[in-house]
Amino acid sequence: IGWFEDGGETKNRWTTFRANGKVTFDFSQWVKGLSLVGSAAYKRVQREETTEQLPVQFYDWADQLSGSVKNSPASLTERNRTWESYTLGAFIYYNNKFGKHGVDLMVGLTGENEDYKNLELARRRGEMYPGSGLSDLNVFVGGDNNTANGGKSSWSFLSWVGDVRYNFADRYLISLLGRRDGSSRLTPANRWKNFYSASAGWVFTNEEFFKSLGIDQIMNFGKIRYDYGKTGALGNLGDYEAYSTISTGSVYLGSTPVTSMWINGMRSDDR
């Protein structure tokens, strides 16, 4: 029980900030059904993690020192991780009716970006003032096993989108959607891909023969639709998985440590 109560603790603090905005410009007084919409979103997430491990002395059944001490010497690790992202979008919309013909058009683009930063520090040579309850790197003893790690990464994604929808007399529907996506997680040769979909629908409940059946109290809307398209996804692809990265380390030549570098894996556009 003493190990769980006095052996230290881990604290996590999450801070999240979000902001969203949207603006619409209506040009209907010049062109009926025409509008421009812009949107923006920002998010910042920060995680502060502190892990403190304190020594715990064990005793035997006779209440004598057993000589076993866990978590000795004491250590303190502080880690700070930050995710910062934003999304921007701009779209042109047009919708209008010409007699029994209805048209809806949309053209636009969206862009996303996320930056990640990690910082980790640790001291593992014990407390300067044991039992004081102070928990800060400045009151822990440093040594040759200190930790000072860090890293950062980022990714971006851009999409061009177009959508055309047509209906005749609210009975016959046609929709065409196309997009061109680009991701920083892919190599230049594979970065951009085209995707599309098409659909056709028939609202048979708006047909005169269906209305003449007099069953609108039982069924007032029915539609048959067929869709066909091509989609894609990045799945769990890492930010730099498509690239060969360089790792660093050290080797000993005799008794002398020498910094070394090597390519971490081979990559190909055809994999």
Side-chain angles (χ1 to χ4, degrees), residues 192-213:
W192 291 95
K193 296 294 182 181
N194 299 320
F195 304 98
Y196 59 87
S197 68
S199 68
W202 174 40
V203 185
F204 58 85
T205 50
N206 286 343
E207 296 286 358
E208 291 299 328
F209 76 85
F210 185 87
K211 296 178 180 179
S212 66
L213 298 177

Side-chain angles (χ1 to χ4, degrees), residues 154-171:
S154 63
W155 61 265
S156 299
F157 189 83
L158 183 65
S159 296
W160 297 88
V161 186
D163 187 13
V164 180
R165 301 184 183 186
Y166 167 80
N167 81 81
F168 176 76
D170 293 327
R171 289 182 289 174

Side-chain angles (χ1 to χ4, degrees), residues 90-152:
F91 299 90
I92 298 175
Y93 293 92
Y94 175 76
N95 61 84
N96 205 347
K97 277 200 169 186
F98 308 92
K100 293 184 178 182
H101 305 275
V103 178
D104 286 274
L105 303 176
M106 183 274 289
V107 178
L109 75 158
T110 61
E112 302 176 61
N113 183 83
E114 181 178 274
D115 298 314
Y116 169 74
K117 175 67 177 176
N118 172 54
L119 181 64
E120 181 179 356
L121 304 171
R123 287 187 171 183
R124 298 188 173 89
R125 288 297 188 188
E127 300 173 279
M128 290 182 180
Y129 312 105
S132 66
L134 297 175
S135 180
D136 189 88
L137 286 173
N138 287 336
V139 293
F140 275 71
V141 180
D144 57 4
N145 63 343
N146 290 348
T147 295
N149 291 328
K152 62 181 180 179

